[in-house]
Amino acid sequence: MKRETTAPRTGSAGVRIIGGTHKRSKIDVLVRDGLRPTPSRVRETLFNWLAPAVPGARVLDCYAGTGTLGMEALSRGAAHCTFIEKDPTVCRHLESHLHRFQWTDRATVLSGDVLSQNATLVATADLIFADPPFHYGLAQAFLTWIRPQVRPDSRVMIECERTETLDLSGFEVLKTLNAGQDSVRLLRALS
């Protein structure tokens, strides 16, 4: 039996910010392996959960990719967002969107591996988003790395494949959403 393969994406794609001051603004998505923005339905549910916590929050968008989670938070009144992305081309693309939306004074883009970042970034964040590339075990590596650094009053959102099993020791699961191949958990670190 012949296996079907998925054809590579071509052309440009985009997603839209779904709430706040830049509602309906388009974010172009580069065609890159592993780059997949969090679906609108998932973002809408996540930000409904987080609504009271977003205004004035300091946000950390790990494995930022398209930056949809951090930009959604900025649109909804977050004070600042630090985006961490390993791919320099994707970082430049993200910076162009931040410039276009006039958020450069409320955002920082760091190019590099999330797990090698300074722990101070985690310690000062109110909301932490992590949507690592699927199939590499990065979700578990991220949770293991971040657990000793995150404050109990902060919230951590981890997105992974629905079939991936995570060791959530040291975290309380506040909310869970399964949508398509995605599984999203909103966590709080236990003291």
Side-chain angles (χ1 to χ4, degrees):
M1 186 160 89
K2 185 178 177 184
R3 287 180 63 189
E4 289 190 31
T5 58
T6 304
R9 293 186 312 158
T10 57
S12 65
V15 294
R16 296 199 181 271
I17 295 173
I18 53 177
T21 58
H22 287 70
K23 184 177 181 176
R24 296 188 194 93
S25 295
K26 185 178 180 185
I27 301 169
D28 296 323
V29 177
L30 289 176
V31 178
R32 306 287 272 194
D33 284 341
L35 191 62
R36 46 165 190 78
T38 301
S40 296
R41 183 177 125 201
V42 173
R43 280 185 288 125
E44 183 174 13
T45 300
L46 175 64
F47 280 93
N48 284 342
W49 294 343
L50 294 172
V54 175
R58 298 197 61 80
V59 178
L60 187 58
D61 189 350
C62 303
Y63 308 97
T66 60
T68 56
L69 294 170
M71 285 192 266
E72 192 74 50
L74 289 170
S75 180
R76 293 169 186 251
H80 189 272
C81 183
T82 300
F83 298 85
I84 304 171
E85 172 54 45
K86 195 172 189 174
D87 184 328
T89 302
V90 175
C91 285
R92 287 189 297 276
H93 192 255
L94 179 53
E95 288 170 335
S96 72
H97 284 295
L98 295 170
H99 182 75
R100 180 170 59 105
F101 296 142
Q102 298 179 353
W103 285 333
T104 54
D105 61 331
R106 295 173 46 212
T108 304
V109 178
L110 300 176
S111 180
D113 181 39
V114 169
L115 305 182
S116 65
Q117 298 301 315
N118 188 316
T120 307
L121 289 173
V122 176
T124 58
D126 302 304
L127 300 174
I128 301 164
F129 301 126
D131 181 10
F134 287 2
H135 312 300
Y136 298 101
L138 293 174
Q140 186 60 61
F142 173 80
L143 288 175
T144 301
W145 172 77
I146 201 171
R147 172 57 196 101
Q149 303 174 65
V150 68
R151 298 185 331 248
D153 59 336
S154 298
R155 297 295 175 260
V156 177
M157 184 282 306
I158 185 78
E159 185 174 348
C160 65
E161 285 179 282
R162 194 177 204 171
T163 57
E164 188 173 355
T165 302
L166 298 176
D167 175 4
L168 299 172
S169 300
F171 290 100
E172 175 187 2
V173 179
L174 302 174
K175 302 274 187 179
T176 301
L177 171 67
N178 292 314
Q181 69 175 355
D182 292 350
S183 179
V184 175
R185 291 178 187 91
L186 183 62
L187 309 172
R188 181 183 71 82
L190 297 172
S191 316

